[in-house]
Amino acid sequence: MYTTWYEDIRADTGQIVSSRVRLARNLQDYHFPRKITREQARELVAQAQEAAHAASGQTGRLDYTDVAALPDIMKVAMLERHIISAEMLHRSVCGLLATGDGSLAIMINEEDHIRIQSFGTGDGIDAAFETAERTDNALEQVLDYAFSKELGYLTSCPSNTGTGLRASFMLHLPLLERNNQIRNILSALTKFGMTIRGVFGEGSESLGSCYQISNQVTLGKSEQEIIESLKNITAQICEKEHSLLHKALERERHDILDNVYRSHALLGSCRRIGAKEAMSLLSNVRLGFAADILDMPRPNKSLLSIMMNIRDANIQIMCSCNSTEPKDVCRANYLRSVFGSI
């Protein structure tokens, strides 16, 4: 049985929760997905599957899922776990190739024909890029990518043209959020071709004080330049968060400790709780463990995996086999099983 990448306990330390590298690619002889015919889309899926099979010696086994054929709740659950994008929820022909632990996933017929995603916990962006690049090179030996000597890889959205690379960190920034400094960070990042978004990317809100920071510009820079710039800027943001935490612990230590311990106690005793409130409480507990101020046993799961499990579609799937109770009750039951006792 596989252990998913986000169950790694390293996701619970420091400000960097996870890393992701995504490469957007299109095939030479097909329209972009928004213009492609159903027959061509099926052909493209078949080509991608054949290419993945041929590349398995370099990528490992990639299992195929016909995403378009899944029930809506399963699609949303995959979106909540960041395995697919919102773009794929309504595609009539689309699929996913993924490793058993989910650390490597290839979306087919998303906004682009192929989007290679590699994930890792903490600041493992270099390893994620190495995996994505190795996979891309293996597929390119079989597939005919749309490529321009002047522009680089051609993509459906012009902002991705060039390297086609989007590198991102998921950051836990409770102190910066509390001090209303996220907007200032966004303004500063724009000058460096970077942006900060909510948990599910563009247009989404922050949940549990978690934010995505990623590059906006892919043209005119190498992959390594993009990643190094992201790492440098992220290090500055993390240092600012750490500094605010240090000052807060000096000035209001008892208030912070009270908030952290109350959150842990509520998670272990709640009988009904919404996803947003649960994420806020989990954020407080994560701060307590990361700052080494919460003297309680750690859960036997990573907090990142818990955050994914409590989202609406995932908790509904988890409870559907043995419960007809409302999601908020099922969520509370699950959280008590992790932090307290039933």
Side-chain angles (χ1 to χ4, degrees), residues 14 46 101 271 281:
D101 66 354
R271 268 21 185 200
L281 296 175

Side-chain angles (χ1 to χ4, degrees), residues 168-187:
S168 65
F169 286 120
M170 185 75 75
L171 305 180
H172 184 228
L173 305 173
L175 274 299
L176 284 165
E177 181 180 80
R178 177 184 169 188
N179 286 271
N180 297 314
Q181 294 193 29
I182 300 298
R183 188 179 297 275
N184 294 337
I185 290 174
L186 174 59
S187 177

